[in-house]
Amino acid sequence: MTGTITVTAAAGLRDSSQTMSLVAFTSVATITLLLCVMTGPDRDDLDEFYTGYGSLSPAPQRPCHSR
């Protein structure tokens, strides 16, 4: 009977440590993502994003040489 109690207690401890590891990982991941969102730029305009926020210009037109 003592062997059964020891095995059950060890299994319960293992489940508890797995749960705590999952909670700790989830907490760290959530805080990291939240900090990334909070410190990111406040530019939400897609037109500006696709034009490089005004730092890009159109490519120059090359003359077409037909043969």
Side-chain angles (χ1 to χ4, degrees):
M1 187 64 97
T2 304
T4 305
I5 293 172
T6 304
V7 170
T8 305
L13 181 62
R14 184 175 57 231
D15 291 339
S16 176
S17 66
Q18 286 178 348
T19 302
M20 287 303 293
S21 295
L22 180 62
V23 168
F25 172 77
T26 304
S27 299
V28 169
T30 302
I31 290 170
T32 302
L33 290 173
L34 180 64
L35 288 174
C36 289
V37 169
M38 289 173 53
T39 59
D42 293 331
R43 300 176 183 175
D44 293 332
D45 189 16
L46 286 179
D47 292 336
E48 292 293 321
F49 173 78
Y50 286 114
T51 59
Y53 298 105
S55 65
L56 298 176
S57 62
Q61 296 290 328
R62 295 183 183 171
C64 209
H65 298 290
S66 59
R67 293 182 180 195

Short mmCIF file of all heavy atoms in Angstrom, two decimals:
data_model
loop_
_atom_site.label_atom_id
_atom_site.label_comp_id
_atom_site.label_asym_id
_atom_site.label_seq_id
_atom_site.Cartn_x
_atom_site.Cartn_y
_atom_site.Cartn_z
N MET A 1 0.82 -1.19 0.00
CA MET A 1 0.00 0.00 0.00
C MET A 1 0.87 1.26 0.00
O MET A 1 0.52 2.22 -0.64
CB MET A 1 -0.92 -0.05 1.23
CG MET A 1 -1.94 1.03 1.28
SD MET A 1 -3.15 1.01 0.00
CE MET A 1 -4.55 0.26 0.53
N THR A 2 1.98 1.25 0.66
CA THR A 2 2.86 2.42 0.73
C THR A 2 3.43 2.74 -0.65
O THR A 2 3.55 3.90 -1.02
CB THR A 2 4.02 2.16 1.72
OG1 THR A 2 3.46 1.83 2.98
CG2 THR A 2 4.88 3.40 1.86
N GLY A 3 3.78 1.74 -1.46
CA GLY A 3 4.30 1.95 -2.80
C GLY A 3 3.30 2.65 -3.69
O GLY A 3 3.65 3.50 -4.51
N THR A 4 2.03 2.33 -3.55
CA THR A 4 0.99 2.96 -4.35
C THR A 4 0.84 4.43 -4.00
O THR A 4 0.68 5.28 -4.87
CB THR A 4 -0.36 2.23 -4.11
OG1 THR A 4 -0.19 0.85 -4.39
CG2 THR A 4 -1.43 2.80 -5.00
N ILE A 5 0.92 4.77 -2.74
CA ILE A 5 0.79 6.16 -2.31
C ILE A 5 1.97 6.99 -2.82
O ILE A 5 1.80 8.11 -3.29
CB ILE A 5 0.69 6.24 -0.77
CG1 ILE A 5 -0.62 5.60 -0.32
CG2 ILE A 5 0.77 7.68 -0.29
CD1 ILE A 5 -0.74 5.44 1.17
N THR A 6 3.16 6.43 -2.79
CA THR A 6 4.34 7.14 -3.26
C THR A 6 4.26 7.41 -4.75
O THR A 6 4.56 8.52 -5.21
CB THR A 6 5.61 6.32 -2.95
OG1 THR A 6 5.65 6.05 -1.55
CG2 THR A 6 6.85 7.07 -3.35
N VAL A 7 3.83 6.44 -5.54
CA VAL A 7 3.71 6.61 -6.98
C VAL A 7 2.65 7.66 -7.29
O VAL A 7 2.84 8.53 -8.14
CB VAL A 7 3.38 5.26 -7.66
CG1 VAL A 7 3.01 5.48 -9.12
CG2 VAL A 7 4.55 4.32 -7.52
N THR A 8 1.54 7.62 -6.59
CA THR A 8 0.47 8.60 -6.82
C THR A 8 0.94 10.01 -6.46
O THR A 8 0.65 10.97 -7.17
CB THR A 8 -0.78 8.22 -6.00
OG1 THR A 8 -1.14 6.89 -6.31
CG2 THR A 8 -1.92 9.14 -6.30
N ALA A 9 1.67 10.15 -5.38
CA ALA A 9 2.17 11.46 -4.97
C ALA A 9 3.18 11.99 -5.99
O ALA A 9 3.17 13.17 -6.33
CB ALA A 9 2.81 11.38 -3.59
N ALA A 10 4.02 11.12 -6.52
CA ALA A 10 5.00 11.55 -7.52
C ALA A 10 4.30 11.97 -8.80
O ALA A 10 4.69 12.94 -9.45
CB ALA A 10 5.99 10.42 -7.80
N ALA A 11 3.26 11.24 -9.20
CA ALA A 11 2.51 11.61 -10.40
C ALA A 11 1.81 12.95 -10.21
O ALA A 11 1.77 13.78 -11.11
CB ALA A 11 1.50 10.53 -10.75
N GLY A 12 1.27 13.19 -9.03
CA GLY A 12 0.63 14.46 -8.74
C GLY A 12 1.61 15.61 -8.76
O GLY A 12 1.32 16.71 -9.24
N LEU A 13 2.82 15.37 -8.26
CA LEU A 13 3.86 16.40 -8.26
C LEU A 13 4.30 16.71 -9.68
O LEU A 13 4.50 17.86 -10.05
CB LEU A 13 5.05 15.94 -7.42
CG LEU A 13 6.21 16.93 -7.30
CD1 LEU A 13 5.73 18.20 -6.59
CD2 LEU A 13 7.36 16.31 -6.54
N ARG A 14 4.41 15.69 -10.52
CA ARG A 14 4.82 15.89 -11.90
C ARG A 14 3.76 16.71 -12.65
O ARG A 14 4.08 17.62 -13.40
CB ARG A 14 5.04 14.55 -12.59
CG ARG A 14 5.57 14.68 -13.99
CD ARG A 14 5.90 13.35 -14.64
NE ARG A 14 4.74 12.48 -14.64
CZ ARG A 14 4.75 11.22 -14.19
NH1 ARG A 14 5.86 10.70 -13.70
NH2 ARG A 14 3.66 10.49 -14.23
N ASP A 15 2.49 16.40 -12.45
CA ASP A 15 1.42 17.16 -13.10
C ASP A 15 1.42 18.60 -12.63
O ASP A 15 1.21 19.52 -13.41
CB ASP A 15 0.06 16.52 -12.83
CG ASP A 15 -0.12 15.17 -13.52
OD1 ASP A 15 0.62 14.91 -14.50
OD2 ASP A 15 -0.97 14.38 -13.07
N SER A 16 1.67 18.81 -11.36
CA SER A 16 1.69 20.16 -10.80
C SER A 16 2.85 20.97 -11.39
O SER A 16 2.68 22.13 -11.73
CB SER A 16 1.82 20.09 -9.28
OG SER A 16 1.94 21.38 -8.75
N SER A 17 4.02 20.35 -11.53
CA SER A 17 5.17 21.08 -12.07
C SER A 17 4.97 21.37 -13.56
O SER A 17 5.39 22.42 -14.06
CB SER A 17 6.47 20.32 -11.84
OG SER A 17 6.47 19.12 -12.57
N GLN A 18 4.32 20.47 -14.30
CA GLN A 18 4.03 20.73 -15.70
C GLN A 18 3.05 21.90 -15.84
O GLN A 18 3.20 22.74 -16.71
CB GLN A 18 3.47 19.48 -16.38
CG GLN A 18 4.51 18.42 -16.64
CD GLN A 18 3.90 17.17 -17.27
OE1 GLN A 18 2.69 17.01 -17.31
NE2 GLN A 18 4.76 16.29 -17.76
N THR A 19 2.07 21.91 -14.96
CA THR A 19 1.09 23.00 -15.00
C THR A 19 1.77 24.33 -14.67
O THR A 19 1.53 25.33 -15.35
CB THR A 19 -0.04 22.73 -13.99
OG1 THR A 19 -0.66 21.50 -14.32
CG2 THR A 19 -1.07 23.84 -14.01
N MET A 20 2.63 24.35 -13.68
CA MET A 20 3.33 25.59 -13.32
C MET A 20 4.26 26.03 -14.44
O MET A 20 4.39 27.23 -14.71
CB MET A 20 4.11 25.40 -12.01
CG MET A 20 3.22 25.33 -10.79
SD MET A 20 2.16 26.77 -10.61
CE MET A 20 3.38 28.02 -10.28
N SER A 21 4.91 25.08 -15.12
CA SER A 21 5.78 25.43 -16.25
C SER A 21 4.98 26.04 -17.38
O SER A 21 5.40 27.03 -17.99
CB SER A 21 6.51 24.19 -16.76
OG SER A 21 7.38 23.68 -15.79
N LEU A 22 3.81 25.48 -17.67
CA LEU A 22 2.95 26.02 -18.71
C LEU A 22 2.46 27.42 -18.35
O LEU A 22 2.47 28.32 -19.19
CB LEU A 22 1.76 25.10 -18.95
CG LEU A 22 0.77 25.54 -20.02
CD1 LEU A 22 1.45 25.61 -21.38
CD2 LEU A 22 -0.42 24.61 -20.07
N VAL A 23 2.08 27.62 -17.11
CA VAL A 23 1.62 28.94 -16.67
C VAL A 23 2.76 29.95 -16.75
O VAL A 23 2.57 31.09 -17.21
CB VAL A 23 1.04 28.86 -15.23
CG1 VAL A 23 0.84 30.24 -14.64
CG2 VAL A 23 -0.26 28.07 -15.23
N ALA A 24 3.96 29.56 -16.33
CA ALA A 24 5.11 30.48 -16.38
C ALA A 24 5.45 30.84 -17.82
O ALA A 24 5.68 32.02 -18.14
CB ALA A 24 6.31 29.84 -15.69
N PHE A 25 5.49 29.85 -18.71
CA PHE A 25 5.79 30.12 -20.12
C PHE A 25 4.74 31.04 -20.74
O PHE A 25 5.07 32.00 -21.44
CB PHE A 25 5.88 28.82 -20.91
CG PHE A 25 6.01 29.04 -22.38
CD1 PHE A 25 7.22 29.42 -22.93
CD2 PHE A 25 4.92 28.88 -23.22
CE1 PHE A 25 7.34 29.64 -24.29
CE2 PHE A 25 5.03 29.09 -24.58
CZ PHE A 25 6.25 29.47 -25.11
N THR A 26 3.47 30.74 -20.49
CA THR A 26 2.39 31.55 -21.05
C THR A 26 2.47 32.99 -20.54
O THR A 26 2.26 33.95 -21.30
CB THR A 26 1.03 30.93 -20.72
OG1 THR A 26 1.02 29.58 -21.19
CG2 THR A 26 -0.11 31.68 -21.36
N SER A 27 2.79 33.14 -19.27
CA SER A 27 2.90 34.49 -18.69
C SER A 27 4.03 35.28 -19.35
O SER A 27 3.86 36.44 -19.72
CB SER A 27 3.14 34.40 -17.18
OG SER A 27 2.07 33.75 -16.55
N VAL A 28 5.19 34.66 -19.50
CA VAL A 28 6.34 35.35 -20.10
C VAL A 28 6.05 35.68 -21.56
O VAL A 28 6.33 36.80 -22.02
CB VAL A 28 7.62 34.49 -19.97
CG1 VAL A 28 8.75 35.05 -20.82
CG2 VAL A 28 8.03 34.38 -18.52
N ALA A 29 5.46 34.76 -22.31
CA ALA A 29 5.14 35.01 -23.71
C ALA A 29 4.12 36.15 -23.84
O ALA A 29 4.26 37.02 -24.71
CB ALA A 29 4.62 33.74 -24.37
N THR A 30 3.11 36.14 -22.99
CA THR A 30 2.08 37.18 -23.05
C THR A 30 2.66 38.56 -22.72
O THR A 30 2.38 39.55 -23.41
CB THR A 30 0.93 36.85 -22.07
OG1 THR A 30 0.40 35.58 -22.42
CG2 THR A 30 -0.14 37.90 -22.09
N ILE A 31 3.48 38.63 -21.69
CA ILE A 31 4.09 39.91 -21.31
C ILE A 31 5.02 40.41 -22.42
O ILE A 31 5.02 41.60 -22.75
CB ILE A 31 4.84 39.78 -19.97
CG1 ILE A 31 3.82 39.59 -18.85
CG2 ILE A 31 5.73 40.97 -19.70
CD1 ILE A 31 4.41 39.21 -17.52
N THR A 32 5.78 39.51 -23.03
CA THR A 32 6.69 39.90 -24.12
C THR A 32 5.91 40.45 -25.30
O THR A 32 6.27 41.50 -25.86
CB THR A 32 7.54 38.70 -24.56
OG1 THR A 32 8.27 38.21 -23.43
CG2 THR A 32 8.49 39.07 -25.67
N LEU A 33 4.85 39.77 -25.71
CA LEU A 33 4.05 40.25 -26.84
C LEU A 33 3.36 41.57 -26.51
O LEU A 33 3.27 42.45 -27.36
CB LEU A 33 3.02 39.19 -27.24
CG LEU A 33 3.61 37.94 -27.90
CD1 LEU A 33 2.52 36.90 -28.10
CD2 LEU A 33 4.26 38.29 -29.21
N LEU A 34 2.89 41.71 -25.29
CA LEU A 34 2.25 42.95 -24.88
C LEU A 34 3.24 44.12 -24.93
O LEU A 34 2.90 45.20 -25.42
CB LEU A 34 1.67 42.81 -23.47
CG LEU A 34 0.96 44.03 -22.91
CD1 LEU A 34 -0.27 44.35 -23.74
CD2 LEU A 34 0.58 43.80 -21.46
N LEU A 35 4.47 43.90 -24.47
CA LEU A 35 5.47 44.95 -24.53
C LEU A 35 5.82 45.32 -25.97
O LEU A 35 6.03 46.49 -26.28
CB LEU A 35 6.74 44.53 -23.78
CG LEU A 35 6.61 44.50 -22.26
CD1 LEU A 35 7.87 43.91 -21.64
CD2 LEU A 35 6.34 45.88 -21.72
N CYS A 36 5.87 44.33 -26.85
CA CYS A 36 6.15 44.62 -28.26
C CYS A 36 5.05 45.47 -28.88
O CYS A 36 5.34 46.40 -29.64
CB CYS A 36 6.30 43.31 -29.04
SG CYS A 36 7.80 42.40 -28.66
N VAL A 37 3.82 45.17 -28.57
CA VAL A 37 2.70 45.94 -29.11
C VAL A 37 2.69 47.35 -28.54
O VAL A 37 2.46 48.33 -29.25
CB VAL A 37 1.36 45.21 -28.82
CG1 VAL A 37 0.18 46.12 -29.13
CG2 VAL A 37 1.27 43.94 -29.63
N MET A 38 2.97 47.46 -27.25
CA MET A 38 2.93 48.78 -26.61
C MET A 38 4.06 49.69 -27.08
O MET A 38 3.89 50.91 -27.16
CB MET A 38 3.00 48.63 -25.09
CG MET A 38 1.73 48.06 -24.49
SD MET A 38 1.86 47.69 -22.74
CE MET A 38 2.44 49.21 -22.07
N THR A 39 5.23 49.15 -27.40
CA THR A 39 6.36 49.98 -27.79
C THR A 39 6.48 50.14 -29.30
O THR A 39 7.34 50.88 -29.76
CB THR A 39 7.68 49.38 -27.27
OG1 THR A 39 7.84 48.06 -27.78
CG2 THR A 39 7.70 49.36 -25.75
N GLY A 40 5.63 49.47 -30.06
CA GLY A 40 5.68 49.58 -31.51
C GLY A 40 5.20 50.94 -31.98
O GLY A 40 4.59 51.71 -31.24
N PRO A 41 5.48 51.27 -33.24
CA PRO A 41 5.06 52.56 -33.77
C PRO A 41 3.54 52.65 -33.88
O PRO A 41 2.86 51.64 -34.02
CB PRO A 41 5.70 52.61 -35.15
CG PRO A 41 5.93 51.19 -35.52
CD PRO A 41 6.16 50.45 -34.24
N ASP A 42 3.04 53.86 -33.81
CA ASP A 42 1.59 54.09 -33.86
C ASP A 42 1.11 54.37 -35.28
O ASP A 42 0.11 55.03 -35.48
CB ASP A 42 1.21 55.26 -32.96
CG ASP A 42 1.43 54.93 -31.50
OD1 ASP A 42 1.33 53.74 -31.15
OD2 ASP A 42 1.71 55.85 -30.72
N ARG A 43 1.81 53.89 -36.25
CA ARG A 43 1.45 54.13 -37.65
C ARG A 43 0.55 52.99 -38.12
O ARG A 43 1.00 51.87 -38.31
CB ARG A 43 2.69 54.19 -38.51
CG ARG A 43 3.63 55.30 -38.10
CD ARG A 43 4.87 55.23 -38.94
NE ARG A 43 5.84 56.25 -38.50
CZ ARG A 43 7.04 56.36 -38.99
NH1 ARG A 43 7.45 55.53 -39.92
NH2 ARG A 43 7.85 57.29 -38.56
N ASP A 44 -0.70 53.29 -38.34
CA ASP A 44 -1.65 52.27 -38.74
C ASP A 44 -2.15 52.45 -40.17
O ASP A 44 -3.01 51.71 -40.62
CB ASP A 44 -2.86 52.25 -37.80
CG ASP A 44 -2.47 51.79 -36.41
OD1 ASP A 44 -1.51 51.01 -36.30
OD2 ASP A 44 -3.15 52.20 -35.46
N ASP A 45 -1.65 53.44 -40.88
CA ASP A 45 -2.13 53.73 -42.22
C ASP A 45 -1.43 52.83 -43.23
O ASP A 45 -0.20 52.88 -43.40
CB ASP A 45 -1.86 55.20 -42.54
CG ASP A 45 -2.52 55.64 -43.82
OD1 ASP A 45 -3.42 54.92 -44.30
OD2 ASP A 45 -2.15 56.71 -44.34
N LEU A 46 -2.17 51.98 -43.92
CA LEU A 46 -1.58 51.04 -44.85
C LEU A 46 -0.97 51.73 -46.07
O LEU A 46 0.03 51.26 -46.62
CB LEU A 46 -2.61 50.01 -45.30
CG LEU A 46 -2.98 48.96 -44.26
CD1 LEU A 46 -4.02 48.01 -44.83
CD2 LEU A 46 -1.75 48.18 -43.83
N ASP A 47 -1.56 52.84 -46.50
CA ASP A 47 -0.98 53.57 -47.64
C ASP A 47 0.43 54.02 -47.31
O ASP A 47 1.34 53.91 -48.13
CB ASP A 47 -1.84 54.79 -47.99
CG ASP A 47 -3.19 54.39 -48.56
OD1 ASP A 47 -3.29 53.26 -49.09
OD2 ASP A 47 -4.13 55.20 -48.47
N GLU A 48 0.62 54.53 -46.13
CA GLU A 48 1.95 54.97 -45.70
C GLU A 48 2.89 53.78 -45.56
O GLU A 48 4.07 53.87 -45.87
CB GLU A 48 1.86 55.73 -44.38
CG GLU A 48 1.16 57.06 -44.49
CD GLU A 48 1.97 58.05 -45.33
OE1 GLU A 48 3.20 58.06 -45.21
OE2 GLU A 48 1.35 58.79 -46.10
N PHE A 49 2.39 52.66 -45.08
CA PHE A 49 3.23 51.47 -44.91
C PHE A 49 3.78 51.00 -46.25
O PHE A 49 4.98 50.73 -46.38
CB PHE A 49 2.43 50.36 -44.25
CG PHE A 49 3.17 49.05 -44.19
CD1 PHE A 49 4.15 48.84 -43.25
CD2 PHE A 49 2.88 48.03 -45.09
CE1 PHE A 49 4.84 47.64 -43.19
CE2 PHE A 49 3.55 46.83 -45.04
CZ PHE A 49 4.54 46.64 -44.08
N TYR A 50 2.92 50.90 -47.25
CA TYR A 50 3.35 50.38 -48.54
C TYR A 50 4.24 51.34 -49.32
O TYR A 50 4.90 50.94 -50.26
CB TYR A 50 2.15 49.95 -49.38
CG TYR A 50 1.55 48.67 -48.87
CD1 TYR A 50 0.27 48.63 -48.34
CD2 TYR A 50 2.26 47.48 -48.89
CE1 TYR A 50 -0.28 47.45 -47.86
CE2 TYR A 50 1.74 46.30 -48.41
CZ TYR A 50 0.46 46.29 -47.90
OH TYR A 50 -0.06 45.14 -47.42
N THR A 51 4.25 52.61 -48.96
CA THR A 51 5.15 53.55 -49.62
C THR A 51 6.37 53.86 -48.76
O THR A 51 7.11 54.79 -49.06
CB THR A 51 4.41 54.86 -49.94
OG1 THR A 51 3.91 55.42 -48.72
CG2 THR A 51 3.29 54.65 -50.91
N GLY A 52 6.58 53.10 -47.71
CA GLY A 52 7.76 53.28 -46.87
C GLY A 52 7.69 54.54 -46.03
O GLY A 52 8.70 55.14 -45.72
N TYR A 53 6.48 54.95 -45.67
CA TYR A 53 6.26 56.15 -44.86
C TYR A 53 6.91 57.37 -45.48
O TYR A 53 7.52 58.20 -44.82
CB TYR A 53 6.75 55.94 -43.43
CG TYR A 53 6.01 54.82 -42.74
CD1 TYR A 53 6.61 53.58 -42.54
CD2 TYR A 53 4.70 54.99 -42.33
CE1 TYR A 53 5.92 52.55 -41.93
CE2 TYR A 53 4.01 53.96 -41.72
CZ TYR A 53 4.62 52.74 -41.53
OH TYR A 53 3.94 51.72 -40.94
N GLY A 54 6.81 57.46 -46.81
CA GLY A 54 7.31 58.63 -47.52
C GLY A 54 8.78 58.57 -47.86
O GLY A 54 9.30 59.48 -48.50
N SER A 55 9.49 57.54 -47.48
CA SER A 55 10.93 57.48 -47.76
C SER A 55 11.22 56.81 -49.09
O SER A 55 12.36 56.83 -49.55
CB SER A 55 11.65 56.73 -46.64
OG SER A 55 11.23 55.38 -46.60
N LEU A 56 10.23 56.22 -49.74
CA LEU A 56 10.43 55.56 -51.03
C LEU A 56 9.81 56.40 -52.14
O LEU A 56 8.80 57.07 -51.94
CB LEU A 56 9.78 54.18 -51.04
CG LEU A 56 10.32 53.17 -50.03
CD1 LEU A 56 9.51 51.88 -50.10
CD2 LEU A 56 11.77 52.89 -50.29
N SER A 57 10.41 56.33 -53.30
CA SER A 57 9.85 57.03 -54.45
C SER A 57 9.65 56.01 -55.56
O SER A 57 10.26 54.93 -55.54
CB SER A 57 10.79 58.15 -54.90
OG SER A 57 12.02 57.60 -55.29
N PRO A 58 8.85 56.33 -56.55
CA PRO A 58 8.64 55.39 -57.64
C PRO A 58 9.94 55.13 -58.41
O PRO A 58 10.81 55.98 -58.50
CB PRO A 58 7.61 56.07 -58.54
CG PRO A 58 7.06 57.21 -57.75
CD PRO A 58 8.04 57.52 -56.69
N ALA A 59 10.04 53.95 -58.97
CA ALA A 59 11.22 53.63 -59.78
C ALA A 59 11.18 54.44 -61.06
O ALA A 59 10.11 54.67 -61.64
CB ALA A 59 11.22 52.14 -60.09
N PRO A 60 12.33 54.90 -61.53
CA PRO A 60 12.34 55.68 -62.78
C PRO A 60 11.94 54.80 -63.95
O PRO A 60 12.26 53.61 -64.01
CB PRO A 60 13.80 56.14 -62.90
CG PRO A 60 14.58 55.24 -62.03
CD PRO A 60 13.65 54.73 -60.97
N GLN A 61 11.23 55.42 -64.90
CA GLN A 61 10.79 54.69 -66.09
C GLN A 61 11.95 54.56 -67.06
O GLN A 61 12.60 55.55 -67.40
CB GLN A 61 9.63 55.44 -66.76
CG GLN A 61 8.39 55.52 -65.91
CD GLN A 61 7.75 54.16 -65.77
OE1 GLN A 61 7.81 53.33 -66.66
NE2 GLN A 61 7.11 53.91 -64.64
N ARG A 62 12.22 53.35 -67.49
CA ARG A 62 13.26 53.12 -68.48
C ARG A 62 12.62 53.12 -69.87
O ARG A 62 11.54 52.60 -70.05
CB ARG A 62 13.95 51.79 -68.23
CG ARG A 62 14.70 51.77 -66.92
CD ARG A 62 15.40 50.46 -66.77
NE ARG A 62 16.05 50.40 -65.48
CZ ARG A 62 16.60 49.32 -64.98
NH1 ARG A 62 16.57 48.19 -65.64
NH2 ARG A 62 17.18 49.35 -63.81
N PRO A 63 13.34 53.68 -70.86
CA PRO A 63 12.76 53.65 -72.20
C PRO A 63 12.69 52.21 -72.71
O PRO A 63 13.55 51.39 -72.43
CB PRO A 63 13.73 54.48 -73.03
CG PRO A 63 14.97 54.60 -72.21
CD PRO A 63 14.60 54.36 -70.78
N CYS A 64 11.64 51.95 -73.43
CA CYS A 64 11.42 50.61 -73.96
C CYS A 64 12.08 50.52 -75.33
O CYS A 64 11.78 51.32 -76.23
CB CYS A 64 9.93 50.36 -74.06
SG CYS A 64 9.48 48.67 -73.88
N HIS A 65 12.99 49.61 -75.51
CA HIS A 65 13.64 49.40 -76.81
C HIS A 65 12.98 48.24 -77.51
O HIS A 65 13.09 47.10 -77.08
CB HIS A 65 15.13 49.12 -76.62
CG HIS A 65 15.88 50.24 -75.99
ND1 HIS A 65 16.12 51.43 -76.63
CD2 HIS A 65 16.41 50.36 -74.76
CE1 HIS A 65 16.80 52.22 -75.83
NE2 HIS A 65 16.98 51.60 -74.67
N SER A 66 12.26 48.54 -78.56
CA SER A 66 11.61 47.45 -79.31
C SER A 66 12.52 47.01 -80.44
O SER A 66 13.16 47.82 -81.09
CB SER A 66 10.26 47.90 -79.82
OG SER A 66 10.43 49.03 -80.64
N ARG A 67 12.56 45.74 -80.67
CA ARG A 67 13.42 45.21 -81.73
C ARG A 67 12.59 44.56 -82.79
O ARG A 67 11.63 44.01 -82.74
CB ARG A 67 14.39 44.20 -81.17
CG ARG A 67 15.37 44.88 -80.26
CD ARG A 67 16.35 43.88 -79.75
NE ARG A 67 17.27 44.60 -78.87
CZ ARG A 67 18.40 44.13 -78.49
NH1 ARG A 67 18.78 42.95 -78.85
NH2 ARG A 67 19.17 44.82 -77.72
#
